[in-house]
Amino acid sequence: MDAHEYVVRMENISKIYPNGIAANREVNFSVREGEIHALIGENGAGKSTLMKILFGMEQPTAGKIYLNDQRITLSSPLQAISLGIGMVHQHFMLVPSLTVAENIVLGMAPTTKSGLFIDYKEAVRLTREYSEMYNLFVEPDARVADIAVGMKQKVEILKALVRGARVLILDEPTAVLTTQETAELFQELKNLKDQGFTIIFISHKLKEIKELTDRITIMRAGRSVGVYETASITEQEISRLMVGRDVVLKMDKPEAVPGERVLCVEDLHYVNEWGKKMLDGVSFSVRQGEIVGIAGVEGNGQRELVDILFGLKLPDSGDAMVDGQSLVGLPQARIRTLGVSYVPEDRMTFGIAQTANIEENVISDRYRHKRFNRGPLFNMKSLHDESDRLIMDYAVLCKSRSQEVGMLSGGNIQKVVVAREFSSDPILIIADQPTRGIDVGATELIRNKLVELSRAGMAVLLVSADLNEVMELSDNLIVMYNGQIAGYFDDGQWDDLMMGEYMLGLKRQSDDEIRRACHA
Amino acid sequence: MFDQLIKSIFQAEFLFVIIRITAPILFAALAAVISEKAGVANIGLEGMMMITALFGFLFAYWTQSWVVGVLGAILVGIILGLMMGFFSFKLKTDIILSGIAVNMLGAGGTIFLLNMFTGLRGNTGALVSPNILIPTIDIPLINKIPILGDILSGHAILTYLAFIFVFLMRTFLYRTPLGLKMRAVGENPNAASSVGVSVIKMKYIAIAASGALAGMGGAFMSMYYSQGWNQGMVAGRGFIALAAQAMGRGEPVGAMFSSLLFGLAQAMKTKVSGLRGMASYNYLIEMIPYVVTIIGLVFYALSVKLKTRKHQLQPIKE
Amino acid sequence: MRDKRMVLFGFVRGAAAIVLALAVGAIFIFLSSDEPFTALRYLLIGPFVSFHGGVTAFNTQNFYQILAAMIPTIFTGLAVCVMFSANQFNLAAEGCVLVGGFVGSLIGIYANIATGWHPVICVLVSAVVCGLIMLIPSVLKVTLGASEMVTSLMLNFVLLYIVLHFLNYHFADRSKGATMTFPFLDSAKIPSLVSGTSKLTWGFVVALIISFLVWVFMYRTRWGYAIRMIGINESFSLYSGMNVGRMIILSSVIGGILSGMGGSLEVLGRYNTFVWRELPGYGWTGVTIAILAKNNPGAVPLAAFFLAYLNKGCQLMSTHSDVPSEMIDIIQAAIFLFFAAEQFLSGFRQKLVVKTTREELVRAESLDAIEGE
């Protein structure tokens, strides 16, 4: 094998974050010159960390990086750029009020002869030149704020190319694109490949990977589980390798006895601000006493669904009702009085007030209740009792109720959130990624509580990107793909391979089968 | 009554006065514009102007040279800007609070410093001499044109400079690489740093430039406008400048028009209060620019609000 | 363990900031004075100790004057505390003190109300007026998102000119040389607390009581709780079902009420007629006090005392030495900068965190070991 075959080689890369999380363990990753290489894996498998290391944004704890067989160390993105590595981030790094051309030359603007002024004409010319050379059509004079998301992405790619990138990393580039824009992007990427560029393509979407890439590296739990020629591996195999589990936690849970429908979601449609359909006719219901899980790769509409259910977004059409009352457009206070409680995905932003103490955090949804007030004053004793009880019930490891929440570990912070949300006598609990990134003990406690509460008659909607979790906990399971429900399972007969096929869009149930999710 | 007013307004002298009154506000407004462009809210302008006005005058007095005075004021302004930057960017004092601290220094610290350096209290009246004041210049040719000459010629050098700076700054912000980087830093620091632009460095440069402009404004106040330094001299111009910046949408030219509006209102005040029957409204007239600012901010906020669609229902993350 | 250390660290840091600020002041004194030690003596211990005739004794009059000076600043300090707690950089306390003083004066001059109730009515009316004024910046903020900082700064000037207009053209006592109102009715004056010329009135007692009440409001009622949570994390509060907009408006209105009370209590206690012709500056002192008190109303009187003490020290220093009293502003600015600096001594804090975390880990491991057996 020719040594020059690989343009990038990463050897035995390990990355352990200061908080002890090992994002990469001894990963080997290499890319051939002039190929499109897919990097695939579940959320949290370590893809992003690996790419951040290659782009100099993170430094590896151990391991070596070679570029054209030269050992390199990368301490900043700037250095990576100067070595010809470019990255297109999932969240665009563009300045909205500047024009396309200005964004492209930012930090390296061409100047007029005097050296004082930007040669804007030259910037436009440069933009046009690259735009034409690589068939990436953009309007150099348009303000970035005014252009469509597909063009923004081209601007990002051009930014990297103008800076001399030969290796391009694209982090889930299609997540924000419409079908048409995706097709366009693929054409452009193939074009770049033909011109000798090397492309690393991070994605969850198997169809895209099959269509576009030459080789594929699959990651799972911080490790690389294999490198394959894309043509020689089936989508089923990729799916299996990606979600295959090391350990199977089996939960014993009593049989669910579903009662009345509590949450009814009817034909929700939502188009995001860039015109992409995020929810496309989603209907289902959640009944008393059952846990309905929503599985799916992130970005297939779960986020938007939950936001609509908690009053953060307005759907374009459709309705969502709790106990027969629509909650669309209601303020959060009203939604809560309907008996909905909510474990937010982003717990540090929405779940807690970091510098407030535990007590202040567990009472935030009920502090107005008569029980806790005497006339204008708080009834401190009943507040203390309440918080002590919750700390005890949810085994929050802390010194006292007056300890600052921000000082607790991630697991205990989540216990505080869950303690509040689970104890407000809700009729519906929406749990969004309830155990992401927390320790085993806290995870187990939260899962047990969810089962316990559902068996006590509450309706639970569980949204999780952790496939283990949804499969273990759910009584009935919905898989979302591309803003739609791809499958509804109520027989408890599911396994990871099957899930993988629905999650990745390889399979879809018939409309009739899916309609069962409404229990109408 | 109104024909009196109109007669006195349509005089070259009145327009001349507006320009004169506008100049120091304009310097401060430009100072606000440049720091805000890099995402730094400089509410210490009031204090910066007080302090630089004092030092400008003192330097001029010591060297008996107005040029040294102006340069000294600029230097002190830069130092103050860097100091604010150090506390806010390095030690993470909220930028609003470092601004308030500078205002405190400006309010009382200046009186202390004046006393420390000269033994005087409250004002520098005793030290004033013509050769340390900023000279006025007659512009050849233009001063020969009947009305225009009376309006435009005969101002202090710094007055012309203030208006020239409006266009220089616009050129700087929109035509130079540094200006481009500065705007990028103010608008999306992540994007700027991802292509190797140093966010902190840009912010330091912006607040230092802000200090330099405030310094010119200060020098103008003590070395021309008030002919000496005194305690109540700046009288809220630093705050007005913040409003002028906001009302001018953060653009140099916009800030110039807002500043002229303030200048007009102040000039009107003197005119109107000199009129029969209107004298007793002078304070209310003086109030107009501030009310106009609030109304301007309301309209600005409304226009932003109307642009937001359903997608911005989500609260802004901290 | 960790919390106790952090609290201690907080104290050490605060003290270090103050010492450093005083050191900055001392440097200026040494630079500017021919008698630096005299100046320093008056600055630091002058307010409490009188040195008359070689005899040192506790100086009661000075002490009363310090307490009297705290009356308006406790109120503005509290006002800023409440507004900053809701994360509102509303700086209109300055203008509200002026209006409060003016409105209180007018009622004190023109309304004939039974003795005893007269000052109460004056204070209450000015409180209400200022509370309503604060609706302007807060409602604009909540409904339109207009920066409360800029609107409140502008509002200060608007209020100043409105007061000046009415003072000059409607309520001025033309018989006097300077512009001032007619004298207050005797029934409207705030009674003195002690004899002498210290101007220490019952207003001081009211200020202390109000401090306590504001503390109770902030830490023992549902509204204060909501205000604090909104200040810490607005998104969290919204999610929890709080009415964020209404609470922000409430906090500003309370800020206005407190500033208005402070203004009228000060004017009716200290003067015989309304004499302010510019913004009195208490609003800005209130900001310093709120920073020193870390937004805790309970600590406001202490912070106000500290500043009043320094102020008195500076005055004495300027009377008895060649250092001007405006030194106070330099020290205050320095306190401000160091005290509010999050990263001040942060390296030390980081070490502390690492150390305690390590200890906790060791403890947790030993616990695990025990449980494992």
Side-chain angles (χ1 to χ4, degrees):
Chain A
M1 208 183 266
D2 185 358
H4 284 295
E5 189 186 10
Y6 294 113
V7 54
V8 170
R9 271 192 299 137
M10 299 176 81
E11 280 183 1
N12 298 319
I13 300 289
S14 291
K15 173 70 186 180
I16 298 166
Y17 283 103
N19 60 10
I21 292 173
N24 286 159
R25 302 176 213 190
E26 311 246 303
V27 178
N28 286 305
F29 176 73
S30 42
V31 184
R32 287 185 192 141
E33 180 136 29
E35 72 169 347
I36 301 184
H37 192 114
L39 184 59
I40 188 168
E42 276 191 293
N43 301 108
K47 312 171 299 258
S48 294
T49 305
L50 191 68
M51 288 304 104
K52 280 182 183 165
I53 290 171
L54 183 56
F55 193 54
M57 290 164 78
E58 301 274 2
Q59 278 66 52
T61 316
K64 296 177 184 140
I65 307 171
Y66 297 89
L67 184 72
N68 296 319
D69 291 318
Q70 292 272 310
R71 170 97 193 262
I72 53 168
T73 48
L74 295 164
S75 56
S76 75
L78 203 57
Q79 207 182 345
I81 292 170
S82 71
L83 289 169
I85 300 170
M87 183 158 176
V88 175
H89 301 267
Q90 209 180 342
H91 303 284
F92 296 136
M93 298 280 189
L94 297 172
V95 186
S97 78
L98 303 189
T99 65
V100 167
E102 283 173 332
N103 265 287
I104 284 174
V105 301
L106 178 60
M108 47 170 281
T111 52
T112 51
K113 265 185 226 127
S114 64
L116 282 177
F117 301 111
I118 298 174
D119 189 344
Y120 186 71
K121 274 195 193 123
E122 171 63 17
V124 170
R125 195 200 56 76
L126 198 73
T127 306
R128 285 234 167 80
E129 182 191 310
Y130 275 78
S131 171
E132 278 158 23
M133 193 178 347
Y134 301 113
N135 247 325
L136 292 156
F137 174 74
V138 294
E139 297 166 53
D141 288 317
R143 287 190 332 141
V144 162
D146 302 331
I147 63 177
V149 69
M151 194 182 284
K152 283 184 187 154
Q153 194 153 49
K154 288 176 208 170
V155 176
E156 284 280 31
I157 295 172
L158 282 173
K159 254 170 81 181
L161 295 177
V162 167
R163 285 172 174 73
R166 297 297 299 167
V167 177
L168 271 176
I169 307 167
L170 290 101
D171 189 3
E172 298 197 42
T174 59
V176 289
L177 299 184
T178 61
T179 325
Q180 213 177 354
E181 285 171 332
T182 303
E184 218 173 292
L185 173 72
F186 282 9
Q187 201 46 53
E188 289 152 5
L189 293 181
K190 282 176 187 161
N191 207 335
L192 285 174
K193 177 190 151 184
D194 292 342
Q195 300 194 41
F197 288 90
T198 308
I199 294 163
I200 302 172
F201 184 82
I202 303 180
S203 179
H204 293 296
K205 301 181 181 171
L206 298 193
K207 282 217 185 73
E208 295 179 354
I209 285 169
K210 286 294 275 184
E211 184 191 332
L212 183 70
T213 67
D214 303 303
R215 290 197 311 147
I216 171 167
T217 296
I218 303 170
M219 286 190 73
R220 192 170 75 214
R223 294 175 205 278
S224 160
V225 292
V227 186
Y228 303 88
E229 299 288 329
T230 309
S232 69
I233 184 169
T234 65
E235 293 181 17
Q236 279 72 15
E237 279 171 300
I238 299 175
S239 155
R240 186 177 55 74
L241 284 162
M242 204 174 120
V243 297
R245 281 178 292 173
D246 304 324
V247 218
V248 180
L249 286 154
K250 207 61 191 163
M251 273 193 66
D252 277 329
K253 57 171 199 256
E255 190 78 12
V257 190
E260 293 291 303
R261 291 190 294 173
V262 176
L263 173 70
C264 283
V265 172
E266 285 172 8
D267 201 27
L268 281 184
H269 287 263
Y270 180 82
V271 176
N272 73 9
E273 50 192 306
W274 300 298
K276 182 170 177 164
K277 269 190 199 168
M278 295 311 292
L279 288 176
D280 188 9
V282 170
S283 305
F284 64 90
S285 71
V286 184
R287 294 166 295 180
Q288 290 172 343
E290 70 171 349
I291 300 177
V292 171
I294 294 188
V297 173
E298 269 178 44
N300 280 288
Q302 304 98 310
R303 167 90 274 117
E304 289 73 15
L305 173 66
V306 172
D307 282 355
I308 287 170
L309 292 181
F310 213 70
L312 292 179
K313 287 194 169 84
L314 290 175
D316 296 313
S317 66
D319 205 351
M321 290 174 293
V322 169
D323 254 2
Q325 200 176 338
S326 171
L327 49 72
V328 167
L330 293 186
Q332 284 76 20
R334 288 290 309 284
I335 295 176
R336 280 189 184 273
T337 52
L338 289 175
V340 182
S341 79
Y342 178 83
V343 180
E345 177 198 12
D346 183 351
R347 68 182 77 105
M348 299 314 260
T349 307
F350 298 108
I352 59 157
Q354 278 201 57
T355 55
N357 65 32
I358 296 175
E359 180 169 79
E360 288 163 340
N361 271 281
V362 292
I363 62 164
S364 69
D365 64 336
R366 67 198 63 170
Y367 67 99
R368 276 167 296 202
H369 197 283
K370 262 199 201 110
R371 204 152 42 106
F372 303 116
N373 288 278
R374 268 189 309 216
L377 295 182
F378 268 151
N379 179 345
M380 293 313 283
K381 179 160 184 331
S382 71
L383 281 178
H384 292 340
D385 289 348
E386 175 86 351
S387 31
D388 286 343
R389 183 176 66 80
L390 290 174
I391 288 169
M392 187 80 96
D393 280 4
Y394 288 82
V396 180
L397 214 64
C398 61
K399 278 171 214 96
S400 76
R401 61 176 117 82
S402 47
Q403 192 175 2
E404 215 177 285
V405 160
M407 292 284 184
L408 300 177
S409 71
N412 280 301
I413 288 177
Q414 186 69 342
K415 283 185 200 167
V416 169
V417 175
V418 159
R420 178 182 67 231
E421 299 299 330
F422 288 2
S423 64
S424 59
D425 288 326
I427 57 173
L428 171 68
I429 296 172
I430 300 170
D432 193 0
Q433 322 290 353
T435 61
R436 171 178 286 177
I438 61 177
D439 59 282
V440 184
T443 300
E444 203 174 330
L445 179 126
I446 291 168
R447 289 180 182 171
N448 286 334
K449 285 278 179 192
L450 274 174
V451 171
E452 194 182 298
L453 291 171
S454 76
R455 294 310 170 254
M458 288 176 201
V460 177
L461 179 66
L462 169 71
V463 181
S464 179
D466 178 350
L467 198 51
N468 280 341
E469 183 165 275
V470 258
M471 292 203 307
E472 287 308 324
L473 287 179
S474 305
D475 299 308
N476 297 312
L477 212 160
I478 290 167
V479 181
M480 283 190 70
Y481 177 74
N482 233 348
Q484 296 182 330
I485 294 179
Y488 174 69
F489 306 91
D490 56 4
D491 52 2
Q493 301 300 306
W494 48 68
D495 60 51
D496 45 0
L497 300 184
M498 185 172 132
M499 286 297 113
E501 289 175 344
Y502 282 94
M503 279 165 62
L504 297 167
L506 305 179
K507 274 189 180 169
R508 187 177 190 278
Q509 285 178 342
S510 71
D511 289 349
D512 283 336
E513 283 174 296
I514 290 168
R515 212 165 290 135
R516 289 177 304 127
C518 294
H519 310 288
Chain B
M1 187 179 81
F2 275 104
D3 45 315
Q4 271 185 359
L5 181 63
I6 286 171
K7 235 183 265 167
S8 66
I9 285 176
F10 284 99
Q11 277 176 0
E13 179 251 344
F14 183 66
L15 296 175
F16 180 90
V17 169
I18 292 178
I19 291 175
R20 180 167 160 273
I21 293 176
T22 301
I25 299 174
L26 183 53
F27 274 123
L30 290 175
V33 167
I34 195 154
S35 63
E36 195 68 43
K37 273 283 180 211
V40 182
N42 182 2
I43 81 158
L45 287 172
E46 179 81 8
M48 280 182 162
M49 279 173 85
M50 282 294 280
I51 299 167
T52 53
L54 174 66
F55 278 101
F57 185 88
L58 288 178
F59 280 122
Y61 170 71
W62 288 326
T63 60
Q64 290 294 307
S65 152
W66 68 271
V67 177
V68 177
V70 172
L71 293 177
I74 292 171
L75 182 71
V76 171
I78 290 172
I79 291 170
L80 285 169
L82 293 177
M83 187 187 85
M84 272 180 78
F86 174 78
F87 275 98
S88 287
F89 310 147
K90 178 95 183 160
L91 293 181
K92 306 282 178 206
T93 302
D94 192 300
I95 189 79
I96 306 286
L97 299 183
S98 2
I100 294 177
V102 170
N103 289 341
M104 282 176 187
L105 284 178
T110 44
I111 299 175
F112 176 84
L113 292 170
L114 172 67
N115 185 274
M116 176 171 144
F117 286 119
T118 65
L120 293 170
R121 287 201 59 87
N123 70 73
T124 58
L127 309 178
V128 183
S129 62
N131 56 328
I132 65 170
L133 295 179
I134 298 168
T136 57
I137 42 175
D138 286 324
I139 307 175
L141 294 179
I142 287 182
N143 64 356
K144 297 284 187 294
I145 306 171
I147 295 166
L148 209 59
D150 293 336
I151 299 171
L152 295 180
S153 186
H155 287 286
I157 294 172
L158 250 58
T159 309
Y160 297 112
L161 217 52
F163 286 90
I164 292 168
F165 267 124
V166 173
F167 299 97
L168 283 184
M169 188 182 289
R170 196 179 61 167
T171 308
F172 167 76
L173 286 171
Y174 290 93
R175 296 277 315 281
T176 68
L178 192 62
L180 182 67
K181 286 195 254 182
M182 204 173 268
R183 286 188 293 142
V185 163
E187 207 178 322
N188 186 349
N190 287 333
S193 64
S194 78
V195 289
V197 175
S198 165
V199 174
I200 289 287
K201 191 170 128 194
M202 286 303 131
K203 289 192 165 182
Y204 268 118
I205 292 175
I207 194 144
S210 183
L213 285 161
M216 284 181 238
F220 184 88
M221 288 303 297
S222 64
M223 295 167 61
Y224 177 73
Y225 194 90
S226 308
Q227 315 243 326
W229 185 90
N230 69 71
Q231 203 172 336
M233 187 185 58
V234 175
R237 283 181 177 80
F239 295 129
I240 294 173
L242 291 177
Q245 182 270 344
M247 216 164 48
R249 308 278 154 101
E251 297 300 330
V253 177
M256 177 182 78
F257 285 118
S258 321
S259 304
L260 279 167
L261 186 67
F262 285 110
L264 171 73
Q266 291 214 2
M268 283 286 275
K269 185 199 75 182
T270 25
K271 278 286 163 216
V272 171
S273 52
L275 291 175
R276 197 157 31 87
M278 285 298 280
S280 57
Y281 293 101
N282 60 339
Y283 288 112
L284 294 185
I285 290 157
E286 203 160 346
M287 190 179 86
I288 290 170
Y290 305 100
V291 176
V292 168
T293 309
I294 294 178
I295 294 170
L297 283 176
V298 166
F299 277 108
Y300 179 61
L302 250 173
S303 71
V304 173
K305 178 105 178 166
L306 287 178
K307 260 189 263 167
T308 51
R309 304 200 340 243
K310 56 169 184 168
H311 303 290
Q312 272 77 37
L313 211 63
Q314 188 157 0
I316 300 148
K317 287 192 188 184
E318 302 281 312
Chain C
M1 174 69 84
R2 178 189 278 185
D3 281 348
K4 223 184 263 169
R5 269 189 200 163
M6 283 304 154
V7 169
L8 188 68
F9 172 74
F11 275 117
V12 170
R13 211 181 74 128
I18 289 171
V19 168
L20 207 62
L22 289 175
V24 170
I27 290 170
F28 275 99
I29 290 175
F30 277 100
L31 280 176
S32 70
S33 176
D34 298 327
E35 35 183 355
F37 291 103
T38 316
L40 271 176
R41 191 180 61 174
Y42 277 102
L43 170 66
L44 296 176
I45 57 171
F48 274 175
V49 184
S50 54
F51 308 103
H52 281 296
V55 187
T56 51
F58 184 72
N59 191 328
T60 325
Q61 274 310 309
N62 278 353
F63 182 63
Y64 290 156
Q65 281 170 18
I66 291 171
L67 298 187
M70 289 163 62
I71 297 171
T73 58
I74 285 181
F75 279 99
T76 52
L78 292 171
V80 176
C81 269
V82 175
M83 294 188 289
F84 277 21
S85 289
N87 213 9
Q88 295 300 298
F89 277 113
N90 187 328
L91 300 169
E94 182 73 28
C96 282
V97 172
L98 178 77
V99 172
F102 188 59
V103 171
S105 303
L106 294 184
I107 296 169
I109 297 164
Y110 296 103
N112 236 323
I113 300 166
T115 322
W117 285 106
H118 202 170
V120 178
I121 301 288
C122 294
V123 171
L124 288 182
V125 172
S126 44
V128 169
V129 170
C130 293
L132 291 175
I133 289 172
M134 280 295 196
L135 286 175
I136 299 171
S138 57
V139 170
L140 289 179
K141 171 66 182 282
V142 168
T143 56
L144 298 175
S147 155
E148 78 281 4
M149 195 185 82
V150 181
T151 38
S152 62
L153 281 172
M154 291 303 105
L155 194 58
N156 284 340
F157 288 103
V158 173
L159 297 175
L160 170 67
Y161 289 117
I162 289 177
V163 167
L164 285 178
H165 174 77
F166 282 102
L167 173 63
N168 277 280
Y169 299 117
H170 294 274
F171 299 109
D173 179 357
R174 292 285 166 214
S175 65
K176 297 280 176 9
T179 313
M180 55 177 72
T181 57
F182 292 95
F184 305 142
L185 298 175
D186 280 340
S187 60
K189 287 185 188 161
I190 312 287
S192 285
L193 195 59
V194 294
S195 55
T197 56
S198 65
K199 305 287 183 194
L200 179 57
T201 63
W202 279 91
F204 180 72
V205 178
V206 177
L208 290 186
I209 293 171
I210 296 287
S211 303
F212 176 71
L213 290 180
V214 173
W215 180 83
V216 169
F217 175 80
M218 292 302 286
Y219 287 90
R220 290 289 181 269
T221 74
R222 44 197 180 275
W223 305 283
Y225 164 79
I227 287 172
R228 287 188 296 121
M229 292 305 120
I230 288 164
I232 295 174
N233 185 346
E234 200 174 313
S235 304
F236 161 78
S237 309
L238 194 73
Y239 261 69
S240 300
M242 298 177 193
N243 191 328
V244 172
R246 212 183 289 169
M247 287 300 144
I248 285 177
I249 293 172
L250 176 69
S251 75
S252 311
V253 169
I254 290 174
I257 288 175
L258 290 167
S259 323
M261 287 176 81
S264 56
L265 278 169
E266 169 72 1
V267 169
L268 294 172
R270 187 174 292 277
Y271 307 107
N272 294 315
T273 179
F274 185 80
V275 292
W276 286 343
R277 258 156 301 163
E278 53 192 15
L279 293 165
Y282 295 129
W284 297 108
T285 314
V287 176
T288 314
I289 289 171
I291 298 292
L292 282 173
K294 293 199 181 286
N295 288 349
N296 182 346
V300 161
L302 212 65
F305 178 80
F306 174 69
L307 278 186
Y309 183 96
L310 267 185
N311 213 341
K312 184 74 200 169
C314 285
Q315 279 171 23
L316 289 171
M317 176 174 72
S318 75
T319 332
H320 294 278
S321 78
D322 55 352
V323 182
S325 64
E326 283 78 10
M327 178 85 230
I328 181 80
D329 286 291
I330 290 181
I331 298 176
Q332 208 170 318
I335 291 178
F336 214 87
L337 286 171
F338 286 112
F339 209 85
E342 273 170 33
Q343 294 297 309
F344 178 52
L345 298 181
S346 64
F348 183 66
R349 184 178 199 272
Q350 187 55 36
K351 271 183 209 149
L352 212 61
V353 169
V354 170
K355 194 175 159 200
T356 29
T357 312
R358 216 175 270 149
E359 281 171 10
E360 274 175 11
L361 279 176
V362 169
R363 223 158 15 117
E365 271 166 26
S366 57
L367 268 177
D368 282 350
I370 295 165
E371 276 170 15
E373 279 166 15

